[in-house]
Amino acid sequence: DVPVTDLVFDHLSNRLYLAIYGRGVAVWCGAGAPVPLRHRGDLDKQLPGNAQLEADDFQVSRIALAWIPSEPDVLFAAYAFAPRNFFSRLPARLLGVFRSDDAGASWRAVLPPPADLNTGHSRHDDFSDGQADYNFVFARNPHASTDLLLGLVRFYRSTNLGKDWVQDTRSSDDDGIEPDPERESLHADQHAIAFSSRGEIWLGNDGGIWRSTNRGKDWRHRNRGLATMQFYGGANHAEVSGIALGGSQ
């Protein structure tokens, strides 16, 4: 059994795309087994696989997909690579981003893989996050088709389908007018992304739930009143039996 890390369903063509951990992308059309997409033929039109990216310490790991219904034959796949040894102190990084314009028959690299995986670094200086095997979300904005959104530890966005990327590094900003307690920089570790029919972007991370109404330029948290704490440990008070202590992120 191999875990599936992302799914895209093209209901008009009855195609289900599957991102399979460590293996690649496959498509299932309602019968038979899923068919792996493009691991043979010209290398410059392939998705990466472990055969091309073998390294002593790293392997292809988590994969995320980005797709919108208005362009059903265009599919993006973001790949992470991680150390083979789970207990290794080497970081898991973004490997690359790939695009297909023909429903997965051929691919090209938007962000190509690094030449040497064993360095433990991405060749893209903007993507230095080291937990890509854990927090990894990827999406194309259905209300702004030029926008790709990538969540690792930090959040990245591109307004030209991956040619250039901007990292969210804005600190808390109240514009010098009136303090807005809900407007803050994003919390770390991105895990989920969704789009409303009104064009809002919703993001879930270790800090809770966040919303953007301007394509990801600014965010406001929606955490007031939510009892969502991630506890790492707990104990009873050493002297007062009625008090419990909890350590949370």
Side-chain angles (χ1 to χ4, degrees), residues 176-208:
I177 304 174
E178 291 187 10
D180 183 348
E182 294 180 351
R183 185 176 184 182
E184 297 178 2
S185 56
L186 283 173
H187 197 280
D189 296 348
Q190 316 309 316
H191 294 288
I193 191 168
F195 302 89
S196 76
S197 59
R198 298 185 298 272
E200 301 166 334
I201 305 173
W202 291 79
L203 196 63
N205 57 38
D206 277 13

Side-chain angles (χ1 to χ4, degrees), residues 143-210:
H143 307 289
S145 62
T146 60
D147 292 7
L148 289 176
L149 308 170
L150 178 66
L152 299 167
V153 172
R154 291 173 285 271
F155 178 79
Y156 304 86
R157 61 186 177 89
S158 171
T159 58
N160 52 18
L161 291 180
K163 294 179 182 178
D164 302 293
W165 295 84
V166 176
Q167 176 187 318
D168 181 80
T169 56
R170 179 181 52 80
S171 59
S172 183
D173 180 12
D174 296 318
D175 293 336
I177 304 174
E178 291 187 10
D180 183 348
E182 294 180 351
R183 185 176 184 182
E184 297 178 2
S185 56
L186 283 173
H187 197 280
D189 296 348
Q190 316 309 316
H191 294 288
I193 191 168
F195 302 89
S196 76
S197 59
R198 298 185 298 272
E200 301 166 334
I201 305 173
W202 291 79
L203 196 63
N205 57 38
D206 277 13
I209 300 173
W210 305 72

Side-chain angles (χ1 to χ4, degrees), residues 86-106:
F86 178 80
F87 298 100
S88 170
R89 297 180 63 86
L90 296 171
R93 303 281 192 186
L94 175 69
L95 172 65
V97 178
F98 306 87
R99 172 179 176 167
S100 174
D101 294 316
D102 50 17
S106 64

Side-chain angles (χ1 to χ4, degrees), residues 42-112:
D42 297 337
L43 286 176
D44 61 349
K45 295 182 180 179
Q46 288 191 33
L47 277 174
N50 282 332
Q52 298 107 293
L53 299 168
E54 284 280 342
D56 292 339
D57 298 316
F58 289 91
Q59 63 182 348
V60 174
S61 58
R62 192 165 175 175
I63 302 168
L65 305 175
W67 178 87
I68 57 176
S70 61
E71 295 184 22
D73 289 338
V74 179
L75 181 66
F76 288 83
Y79 275 56
F81 69 112
R84 295 181 184 277
N85 182 355
F86 178 80
F87 298 100
S88 170
R89 297 180 63 86
L90 296 171
R93 303 281 192 186
L94 175 69
L95 172 65
V97 178
F98 306 87
R99 172 179 176 167
S100 174
D101 294 316
D102 50 17
S106 64
W107 297 82
R108 59 184 174 87
V110 178
L111 289 173

Side-chain angles (χ1 to χ4, degrees), residues 8 19 24 33-34 40 64 70 103 117 149 176 185 203 211 214 222 224 244:
V8 162
R40 291 180 294 181
S70 61
L117 296 183
L149 308 170
S185 56
L203 196 63
R211 181 182 67 177
N214 58 4
R222 308 301 297 163
R224 288 183 176 273

